[in-house]
Amino acid sequence: MSDSAQNLSDLAFNSSYNPLDSFITFTSIYGDNTAVKFSVLQDMVDVNTNEAIVYGTRCGASVLTQIIMWMISKNRRTPVFIINQVSLTLILIHSALYFKYLLSGFGSVVYGLTAFPQLIKPGDLRAFAAANIVMVLLVASIEASLIFQVKVIFTGDNMKRVGLILTIICTCMGLATVTMYFITAVKSIVSLYRDMSGSSTVLYNVSLIMLASSIHFMALILVVKLFLAVRSRRFLGLKQFDSFHILLIISCQTLLVPSLLFIIAYSFPSSK
């Protein structure tokens, strides 16, 4: 038997042994004997990989959507077209900043394990701050788009009073959501520059819940108004939308599906 075979650990031949349960010991900000399981290390790598895939898909989808909108839009000076283009551009900028984050000291496995602040460069802090501010602007543009659509769908019909009330409610919800995101962003940036710690998860969770609630509420209004429009067309004897057209309008002209995904995603643990 060769020397390499004699030096093999007995665990190599143990089928019930899980290498992910082994510990790795290293020097971190907490001391010389910091120990962590290989499973934790693997989870960190998996999270970064998944986030890179998600943000890459997000970036590609926004580019394709911009191209399609420019191809099919006859009037490119309408407020909805401009607001949606701004939103898609902000998605691209935010995705680019997040790519910078993943490739910075913050996104490195070494910093995740050791927490040594020497790994964080001034450019990493600026990219983190910029990503938070762009996120606030993105939320503001999304809220503005939905509020404008709610206002438009009640223009010129016999439900102007109801439309005005709903528009005011939507505007208040949108302003509250943007304000909460702004507060969360500012506190996160301040705390990071002070001691490299993250912001309170409570503020982030409240912001996320408010965003999901406002999107769901306004998307629901758009869907209900679509239902009323379909019913009115039937009474007036106009050409009816088929099921595919209705499904397409609900999916593409409202954010009902994304708002449902918000709720589903929030129900999962943060690691998922």
Side-chain angles (χ1 to χ4, degrees), residues 1-8:
M1 184 178 294
S2 63
D3 293 338
S4 59
Q6 292 177 350
N7 293 331
L8 289 176

Side-chain angles (χ1 to χ4, degrees), residues 228-271:
L228 295 177
V230 171
R231 192 177 65 172
S232 298
R233 290 176 67 89
R234 180 179 302 172
F235 291 153
L236 295 174
L238 300 175
K239 183 179 179 181
Q240 297 298 304
F241 296 121
D242 58 28
S243 301
F244 177 76
H245 283 133
I246 295 174
L247 182 62
L248 185 65
I249 294 172
I250 292 175
S251 301
C252 299
Q253 292 189 324
T254 74
L255 291 179
L256 185 62
V257 174
S259 66
L260 293 175
L261 293 178
F262 257 120
I263 298 173
I264 295 173
Y266 190 76
S267 65
F268 282 100
S270 58
S271 61

Side-chain angles (χ1 to χ4, degrees), residues 74-180:
K74 296 180 180 179
N75 187 356
R76 298 168 183 169
R77 296 182 179 180
T78 60
V80 172
F81 179 85
I82 295 173
I83 294 173
N84 289 339
Q85 285 292 321
V86 170
S87 299
L88 292 170
T89 302
L90 289 172
I91 289 175
L92 285 174
I93 297 174
H94 187 263
S95 298
L97 290 170
Y98 201 82
F99 292 148
K100 167 64 177 174
Y101 166 81
L102 290 176
L103 296 174
S104 69
F106 286 117
S108 67
V109 175
V110 178
Y111 178 74
L113 293 176
T114 65
F116 280 121
Q118 294 90 337
L119 296 169
I120 307 301
K121 308 301 180 184
D124 300 338
L125 294 173
R126 289 192 289 269
F128 177 87
N132 277 270
I133 298 303
V134 171
M135 186 63 192
V136 175
L137 296 176
L138 176 58
V139 170
S141 65
I142 293 172
E143 295 286 349
S145 177
L146 288 172
I147 292 170
F148 183 79
Q149 291 182 66
V150 170
K151 177 180 180 299
V152 167
I153 61 174
F154 288 102
T155 302
D157 61 14
N158 55 0
M159 300 178 66
K160 289 185 177 181
R161 184 178 180 84
V162 176
L164 178 62
I165 295 174
L166 290 176
T167 302
I168 292 175
I169 294 174
C170 293
T171 302
C172 292
M173 293 181 69
L175 289 174
T177 301
V178 174
T179 301
M180 183 57 65

Side-chain angles (χ1 to χ4, degrees), residues 209-225:
I209 292 172
M210 291 180 66
L211 177 61
S213 300
S214 62
I215 291 177
H216 196 78
F217 179 73
M218 285 183 271
L220 190 61
I221 292 175
L222 296 175
V223 172
V224 171
K225 194 65 171 66

